Amino acid sequence: MSGLPVVLCVAEKPSLAASIAGFLSEGKHRSRRGGQEVHEFERDFNGARCHFKVTAVIGHVLSIDFPAKFQSWDLDPAILFDAPVQKKEATPKARVVEHLEREAKGASHLILWLDCDREGENICFEVIDACAPVMRPNRGDTFVHRAKFSAVSKESIERAMRTLGAPNRAEALAVDARQELDLKVGVAFTRFQTRFFQGRYSHLDASVISYGPCQTPTLNFAVQRHLEIVSHTPEDFWSLHVEVRSTSLGKTLVTRWERERVFDGDVGEMFRSMVAGDRHALVESVEETEEFKRRPPGLNTVDLLKAASAGMGMGAHRAMQVAERLYIQGFISYPRTESTAYPPGFDLKGTLKAQRGHPDWGEWVEELLAGSMTKPRGGKDEGDHPPITPVRSATESAVGGGEAWRLYDFVARHFIASVSPDCAYVSRRATLVAGGERFRVSGQTVIAPGWTTVMPHRAVEDDPLGEIERGESLPIATVELRQGATSPPPYLSEAELIGLMERNGIGTDASIPTHINNIESRKYVTIQSQGGRRVVPTDLGVTLVQGYHRIDPELALPAVRSHVEKQLDMIATGKADHESIVRHTLAQFAAKFRNFVDQIERMDTLFEASFDPTCSSGKPFSKCGRCLRYMRLVSTRPQRLYCPTQEEVLELPAGTVKLYNNRECQLCGFELLLYQNGDRTYPMCPWCFNHPPFVGGSRPTKGLVSGAPHPRAHPIVDALVVCPCPECGEDDKLKGREGGWLMLEPVGGPRWKFVCTGCALVVKLNDSVHRVTVDKLDVCGACGARCPTVIYHKDRTPLAGGETAHVACLACDDLLNSSIELARGRGAARGGGRGGRGGRGRGRGRKPPSDHDQKMSFKDF
DNA sequence: GCAAGGTC
């Protein structure tokens, strides 16, 4: 090390760190990788020579969540509003905190180069929290500095260095507040809705029925359009179609009726006969004006996404992925920006020069460079990133063709268009009179196509009206009264939806695609790839939104977001303190939540109208312990039992569930089932599985249950248990948990086996065994385990004298051990399991049984 | 299994 004081600079993303280092060092930095890339150089700071290190985080360092004890879906979601929240590393894999600590160690100064928006301000404090404790600033020094930059340019970065300030705590706190509100509101409503509706309706195949302050209003837009469409009643209308002949032009002109249309057929007919009574139309006036079609301003994210969706058939989410890749590969500039105005000092000419010689638009670029290049028009500079531009010239094959090319092609053409002259044309319009009615004809002549040269799909059509004089009389060729009917608007296009979200402040440029993707993947809408990506809500989507409108419309309206934003603005501007705003707003949402829970039936009745209640589907299966009637097995996932009389839904673990010979649970009287997991079968009580009678008992879990559905304490398990599992029994006991037990598999022969309640261990008995039973009273004198009674086949018995009955300990008896094989069963250690007990056989210094069946005895353990 | 916001 140089021994100079160290100045650590931290940017929001690696690419920005590289740019900043380049500007501050005039390109003379060295780069090394250590977690994230670090760029180093020497430079004066505060009047002293310093060693600069410039590195980056990857967006937020931390994210917010509930502590572990609030993660259970069995809790009443209402308590979440008062629950504590904690910050933890957002992407633990990236080890950003560790990286920051290492680079900050001993540093004298920290300069924060996070993006200059609220989120960036919040990340500042995340970075400070990681760095400050390990830094070694000079006594009395202000050592944390905030760099404020409005563009990634040398000027702006140098200016930021000269005007360093302090990070804005108020803005950061506003973000903390948003995070807490979004988390609590979103998770509380989502858990409640999901638990309430899940299992109630058979064709409702949704694993999660989510609510969110952005996703739900997004869905609302799509549903409102749907309602407009379905409530539309067509109305008949009539319109006059008149064509006149222009002798001077030698062609027929199609006119437009000034009234456009009337909604009464008799009136339409009256107009028709009036016009038809005239043989000529008189040219009342002719107007000619020069018009301009303005060049587009710079391209921001939202406009790029709209164009991709509407013009390229590429979804917003997909477009963002493709743009991201083009950016990483250096073809286009940073694709996440709100700005449509180029910042002062932006190198427009250099950017344009890079496109010189391009086979598709190089010629036009030359023309611009030769003098016709025009200053970009208007737009807004949000101070985040410049508009999206091409960075270097590339051909279709260079960017990899397909979607990447279509996007690059658009970005390049859009940029070139933004510095091209406007398109100029002459518009000529004439008004004709016939039968007292006015009709119009128009045409236009392009003078200079300007920017539309590179964006031909937006060109003005060259369609001259030709010579037509005021006072001229044109013969009428045809007069027709056409009948039509009003039609509903089409479904919302994704591009329109993006526009609505932007205008209503739902999401950000970076998150809008995620929200749209969200409502699609949750099956609230489908997006039709044919016909311009129309967003069509599903029954589920419509039902949810209608439900919110019945109970509390605000839940689905964009106002939810803007109300919260207003509260946050108060924090950000220091007009109110974080604490009280959060408390106040949470109280409002908690009240909304209680009201929602109270009135959920109003949404439920809507669900009933669209979905089959579970009670009307499924086949009669096993007996309910309370009404003694048959419950129905609903096999659409998630698999469950439904008792029509008790209106109770009992969840079942994923896997095969069978009947267990009419046996009943001693605890609750429900008919017992067999639960098959891979090649192991366990007894199961559907009631006890959902309402565990013991502390630490099983809970319904999604997916596979990795061991037995019940602990040993349940009588149906206890009756079959013989000894602790040699694989997981003892170990877990040492950890203070109930270990696994070997139990006789309840399905019987001819392939008798013992299975572990906790892991995948299977103890198979060979084919000399005819029958096995377990009796609580037969206890091994040596180890205290229960001794199963094994009955051998007469002709295959290993017992002396042809004896067939053998009561012996599975753990201690050598003879019995000669008739077994240990194996690890299939289908274990998947799906999370319960308490992490399943299939933990590895890495403990003993040789575990292999996946293949293998002769091995208990002595091997 | 849950939100929304950064960014890869």
Side-chain angles (χ1 to χ4, degrees):
Chain A
M1 274 307 235
S2 52
L4 298 173
V6 170
V7 177
L8 178 64
C9 298
V10 182
E12 191 159 321
K13 43 191 160 283
S15 62
L16 203 52
S19 304
I20 291 167
F23 294 133
L24 294 181
S25 71
E26 298 186 315
K28 296 189 190 81
H29 58 280
R30 299 172 306 281
S31 304
R32 64 174 160 87
R33 272 208 80 85
Q36 299 306 313
E37 211 170 10
V38 183
H39 312 282
E40 295 174 290
F41 51 92
E42 284 181 21
R43 183 188 159 109
D44 289 336
F45 181 70
N46 272 2
R49 200 68 185 159
C50 288
H51 179 90
F52 269 66
K53 298 202 282 189
V54 185
T55 189
V57 291
I58 320 157
H60 271 290
V61 180
L62 306 175
S63 69
I64 184 181
D65 203 353
F66 294 111
K69 65 185 261 212
F70 293 93
Q71 295 294 348
S72 167
W73 286 56
D74 292 335
L75 300 168
D76 176 3
I79 64 167
L80 295 175
F81 290 99
D82 298 317
V85 291
Q86 56 186 208
K87 290 202 175 196
K88 52 180 193 187
E89 220 168 327
T91 21
K93 265 193 194 157
R95 300 166 171 273
V96 177
V97 172
E98 192 184 299
H99 170 69
L100 288 175
E101 283 171 350
R102 189 170 52 242
E103 298 301 333
K105 193 158 189 205
S108 311
H109 290 276
L110 173 64
I111 305 181
L112 300 156
W113 292 93
L114 285 307
D115 289 359
C116 295
D117 51 27
R118 271 188 206 169
E119 295 294 333
E121 222 56 36
N122 186 270
I123 303 174
C124 279
F125 289 92
E126 297 178 346
V127 171
I128 294 169
D129 287 347
C131 294
V134 295
M135 288 175 62
R136 203 170 301 152
N138 292 326
R139 187 189 295 268
D141 253 12
T142 301
F143 65 100
V144 173
H145 314 275
R146 173 65 160 130
K148 283 279 191 185
F149 53 104
S150 55
V152 186
S153 65
K154 181 154 175 67
E155 298 72 42
S156 189
I157 297 298
E158 284 293 352
R159 194 180 320 124
M161 276 301 281
R162 293 192 301 271
T163 57
L164 292 174
N168 186 326
R169 172 77 72 179
E171 289 195 359
L173 284 172
V175 171
D176 281 343
R178 178 196 55 73
Q179 291 177 341
E180 185 171 345
L181 289 167
D182 285 348
L183 175 74
K184 290 186 169 177
V185 174
V187 172
F189 277 89
T190 298
R191 284 190 191 166
F192 171 70
Q193 291 183 162
T194 302
R195 291 234 104 163
F196 186 85
F197 290 112
Q198 202 172 55
R200 267 175 99 87
Y201 299 97
S202 57
H203 293 295
L204 180 64
D205 68 335
S207 60
V208 167
I209 301 175
S210 57
Y211 173 86
C214 285
Q215 57 174 267
T216 304
T218 301
L219 172 62
N220 184 62
F221 288 128
V223 173
Q224 291 316 313
R225 175 61 65 86
H226 168 80
L227 297 177
E228 229 178 284
I229 293 168
V230 295
S231 66
H232 177 85
T233 43
E235 203 178 342
D236 288 334
F237 65 78
W238 287 263
S239 62
L240 272 184
H241 289 255
V242 173
E243 290 180 12
V244 294
R245 213 168 285 129
S246 163
T247 38
S248 63
L249 296 170
K251 66 174 185 182
T252 303
L253 301 174
V254 179
T255 68
R256 290 186 312 278
W257 190 19
E258 192 184 39
R259 293 182 198 273
E260 287 185 6
R261 57 194 183 185
V262 292
F263 292 92
D264 185 319
D266 294 340
V267 173
E269 175 52 31
M270 182 193 77
F271 283 126
R272 192 203 61 78
S273 63
M274 278 161 56
V275 174
D278 267 356
R279 315 249 317 255
H280 290 85
L282 179 71
V283 178
E284 189 185 52
S285 65
V286 179
E287 245 181 71
E288 191 176 281
T289 50
E290 188 175 348
E291 308 271 337
F292 297 94
K293 190 165 179 175
R294 313 296 298 274
R295 59 197 182 277
L299 180 66
N300 69 8
T301 307
V302 165
D303 290 333
L304 174 67
L305 296 178
K306 284 188 203 166
S309 179
M312 308 173 213
M314 207 188 297
H317 199 244
R318 179 69 193 146
M320 216 51 227
Q321 289 174 335
V322 175
E324 186 83 34
R325 215 182 67 226
L326 286 170
Y327 160 65
I328 297 290
Q329 295 170 336
F331 290 116
I332 63 171
S333 64
Y334 192 65
R336 278 188 284 263
T337 178
E338 291 177 37
S339 297
T340 53
Y342 300 98
F346 186 91
D347 187 10
L348 291 165
K349 197 150 201 172
T351 308
L352 189 61
K353 273 184 182 164
Q355 296 299 330
R356 230 173 193 165
H358 191 282
D360 298 339
W361 49 72
E363 226 174 285
W364 179 248
V365 169
E366 283 304 339
E367 237 178 89
L368 292 174
L369 289 169
S372 62
M373 182 176 167
T374 312
K375 229 175 74 172
R377 181 174 70 89
K380 51 188 193 322
D381 183 356
E382 303 287 339
D384 48 355
H385 296 273
I388 308 165
T389 60
V391 171
R392 58 187 163 100
S393 183
T395 57
E396 176 161 3
S397 58
V399 299
E403 291 174 320
W405 169 248
R406 295 213 293 283
L407 213 64
Y408 176 82
D409 179 80
F410 178 78
V411 169
R413 288 177 184 273
H414 190 108
F415 164 71
I416 297 166
S418 74
V419 293
S420 297
D422 287 341
C423 164
Y425 61 97
V426 172
S427 163
R428 217 167 131 74
R429 300 171 300 276
T431 307
L432 317 178
V433 181
E437 286 301 292
R438 282 198 171 75
F439 301 86
R440 296 187 203 287
V441 287
S442 64
Q444 62 276 333
T445 312
V446 175
I447 306 169
W451 64 274
T452 62
T453 308
V454 275
M455 299 190 88
H457 65 286
R458 297 194 48 195
V460 171
E461 195 195 353
D462 199 44
D463 178 24
L465 180 60
E467 285 311 308
I468 193 166
E469 298 290 328
R470 180 163 171 249
E472 202 179 332
S473 189
L474 304 174
I476 295 176
T478 55
V479 179
E480 243 181 82
L481 182 67
R482 292 188 192 164
Q483 189 182 343
T486 58
S487 50
Y491 275 97
L492 209 59
S493 71
E494 185 185 29
E496 289 173 286
L497 179 57
I498 293 168
L500 282 169
M501 293 174 74
E502 188 193 24
R503 281 199 293 286
N504 287 278
I506 304 296
T508 65
D509 50 358
S511 70
I512 281 174
T514 314
H515 298 311
I516 297 177
N517 203 43
N518 224 336
I519 60 172
E520 188 187 12
S521 65
R522 297 270 159 75
K523 300 182 185 170
Y524 308 148
V525 301
T526 57
I527 297 179
Q528 297 179 342
S529 50
Q530 304 296 314
R533 296 190 58 84
R534 301 275 157 187
V535 185
V536 182
T538 61
D539 285 347
L540 175 58
V542 174
T543 307
L544 280 170
V545 168
Q546 299 260 60
Y548 297 129
H549 280 273
R550 277 186 163 199
I551 299 173
D552 180 356
E554 285 182 9
L555 288 174
L557 294 176
V560 185
R561 194 75 194 155
S562 40
H563 171 74
V564 172
E565 294 289 346
K566 266 189 211 114
Q567 305 293 104
L568 299 180
D569 287 344
M570 307 254 286
I571 302 176
T573 53
K575 291 190 187 113
D577 75 302
H578 165 265
E579 199 72 18
S580 54
I581 289 280
V582 171
R583 200 181 332 109
H584 173 71
T585 313
L586 275 178
Q588 288 178 331
F589 275 105
K592 278 183 175 300
F593 180 78
R594 284 192 300 274
N595 175 55
F596 184 69
V597 171
D598 286 346
Q599 299 198 55
I600 193 66
E601 272 72 29
R602 305 182 68 180
M603 191 187 266
D604 196 35
T605 55
L606 290 176
F607 269 87
E608 273 172 10
S610 298
F611 300 95
D612 281 346
T614 303
C615 55
S616 70
S617 68
K619 53 176 191 222
F621 192 65
S622 65
K623 275 186 196 160
C624 170
R626 293 184 295 176
C627 66
L628 305 181
R629 298 221 170 93
Y630 277 100
M631 299 188 289
R632 292 167 179 274
L633 176 67
V634 181
S635 49
T636 50
R637 274 187 281 184
Q639 163 175 260
R640 56 208 182 262
L641 283 171
Y642 179 76
C643 173
T645 44
Q646 305 282 318
E647 289 190 6
E648 169 102 26
V649 174
L650 298 177
E651 296 187 38
L652 296 172
T656 311
V657 174
K658 294 178 183 166
L659 295 171
Y660 188 8
N661 299 332
N662 281 322
R663 287 173 202 242
E664 258 177 29
C665 178
Q666 296 170 31
L667 301 179
C668 62
F670 273 65
E671 184 173 345
L672 292 177
L673 306 175
L674 291 173
Y675 169 61
Q676 204 175 320
N677 178 358
D679 57 357
R680 289 161 293 132
T681 302
Y682 301 100
M684 191 185 82
C685 168
W687 176 263
C688 295
F689 181 66
N690 282 267
H691 305 93
F694 315 106
V695 179
S698 60
R699 288 245 165 66
T701 47
K702 266 282 147 60
L704 230 48
V705 169
S706 75
H710 301 294
R712 180 191 170 154
H714 197 291
I716 56 174
V717 177
D718 186 54
L720 298 166
V721 159
V722 290
C723 63
C725 171
E727 173 88 349
C728 72
E730 261 173 50
D731 254 38
D732 281 355
K733 215 184 291 170
L734 291 175
K735 290 177 201 147
R737 286 196 296 260
E738 185 190 336
W741 297 87
L742 283 186
M743 64 179 282
L744 181 63
E745 195 180 53
V747 281
R751 305 182 63 99
W752 294 92
K753 58 190 187 226
F754 293 91
V755 294
C756 176
T757 60
C759 71
L761 190 75
V762 175
V763 178
K764 295 180 180 174
L765 295 161
N766 66 20
D767 59 6
S768 64
V769 174
H770 174 59
R771 202 153 64 87
V772 185
T773 54
V774 174
D775 192 309
K776 286 186 185 180
L777 299 177
D778 299 321
V779 175
C780 172
C783 72
R786 283 193 200 140
C787 299
T789 302
V790 178
I791 311 289
Y792 288 99
H793 282 288
K794 276 200 276 289
D795 46 346
R796 276 172 267 175
T797 178
L799 298 171
E803 283 287 311
T804 55
H806 184 52
V807 181
C809 177
L810 195 57
C812 311
D813 186 74
D814 284 339
L815 183 91
L816 184 51
N817 264 265
S818 69
S819 337
I820 65 173
E821 286 172 9
L822 272 61
R824 190 184 305 287
R826 287 177 283 117
R830 280 201 288 150
R834 295 177 295 111
R837 276 176 19 199
R840 290 262 180 100
R842 289 154 291 274
R844 48 172 80 177
R846 293 186 296 201
K847 191 180 175 214
S850 76
D851 287 339
H852 307 289
D853 290 6
Q854 190 178 325
K855 271 271 183 201
M856 193 185 287
S857 81
F858 274 58
K859 307 281 176 342
D860 292 322
F861 281 94

